[in-house]
Amino acid sequence: MSEVRIAAEPRTEFGKGASRRARRAGKVPAVLYGHGTEPRHLNLPGHELMLALKTPNVLIRLDGLDKDNLALPKSVQRDAIKGFLEHIDLLVVSKGEKVEVEIPVNLIGEVKAPGVLTQELVTVAVEAEATHIPEGVEFVVEDLEIGATPTAADVKLPSGVTLATDPEAILLTVSAPRVEEEPETSEEASQAAEGDEGAQEAAAE
């Protein structure tokens, strides 16, 4: 489980104007909450935070706080067009504490030809110890036959990690390829037209 140290500073100004000023200064407004404490408003360095968030469920050690400085990203807001960070919610966590998170499902191998694979779940929800969250799980697909529909319960999780997603949720499907009717060639169409004309002439006689 990755842990990244990031400098945090208390945020004393609020509102859209204050948030815009913070972002212009290269900082991201954040709210830290959890453990029954009042939410704390912070500013975090945008570049370091962006790099940290490239790792799923990264643990962030917030330097500059007097207590409860280990946090897990829970909600990230990005600009819809440019993609830069606008705001982040952080959940206070501690060693030994169980948390529920989404982790990616990475498919290994390829299904047997001519099967067509459709992944229904790209992530699964799990409950894990806050400082031992797996970065993802692997699921081998190379032995699957057409018609296979493994579920979330078929995913093998590391020791100490339990499934929170509905175990009967379909993980992926393997189906037969669609067979499309080939269009008539110009020669076949011509022969069909000639046959229709002959039938019409015979009927007229």
Side-chain angles (χ1 to χ4, degrees):
M1 183 68 197
S2 298
E3 182 179 314
V4 177
R5 303 186 78 93
I6 291 181
E9 59 183 44
R11 180 157 52 101
T12 56
E13 293 184 312
F14 305 97
K16 293 182 179 179
S19 296
R20 283 195 293 267
R21 286 192 293 274
R23 286 190 284 268
R24 282 199 297 268
K27 300 174 183 179
V28 178
V31 175
L32 178 66
Y33 64 94
H35 288 186
T37 62
E38 289 292 325
R40 281 174 284 176
H41 299 270
L42 312 169
N43 281 329
L44 305 178
H47 182 67
E48 288 87 341
L49 182 60
M50 181 183 65
L51 293 177
L53 293 178
K54 289 184 178 182
T55 300
N57 299 310
V58 62
L59 280 175
I60 298 177
R61 180 75 64 177
L62 297 167
D63 289 338
L65 300 182
D66 55 351
K67 62 177 183 177
D68 295 330
N69 64 342
L70 189 62
L72 188 68
K74 292 302 291 183
S75 176
V76 179
Q77 297 176 21
R78 297 178 184 270
D79 181 86
I81 299 175
K82 298 182 179 179
F84 59 78
L85 297 173
E86 290 191 324
H87 187 273
I88 183 170
D89 286 345
L90 299 168
L91 177 67
V92 174
V93 295
S94 59
K95 187 175 181 179
E97 179 183 1
K98 290 277 190 176
V99 293
E100 184 175 316
V101 294
E102 296 275 342
I103 60 174
V105 178
N106 303 309
L107 303 183
I108 305 299
E110 296 182 1
V111 295
K112 297 177 181 178
V116 177
L117 184 150
T118 302
Q119 187 173 1
E120 304 292 344
L121 294 178
V122 295
T123 64
V124 290
V126 299
E127 189 177 72
E129 199 268 312
T131 57
H132 290 86
I133 299 172
E135 293 188 5
V137 289
E138 296 182 345
F139 189 83
V140 178
V141 301
E142 55 191 12
D143 294 327
L144 297 180
E145 305 281 354
I146 290 176
T149 56
T151 65
D154 296 314
V155 175
K156 293 182 179 180
L157 298 173
S159 176
V161 179
T162 57
L163 186 69
T165 291
D166 180 357
E168 297 183 0
I170 299 298
L171 179 67
L172 59 88
T173 60
V174 181
S175 55
R178 293 179 60 185
V179 179
E180 297 183 1
E181 294 184 3
E182 296 184 1
E184 292 183 344
T185 63
S186 56
E187 183 177 350
E188 290 174 339
S190 176
Q191 290 176 353
E194 290 176 359
D196 290 341
E197 290 177 359
Q200 291 175 0
E201 290 175 359
E205 293 176 357

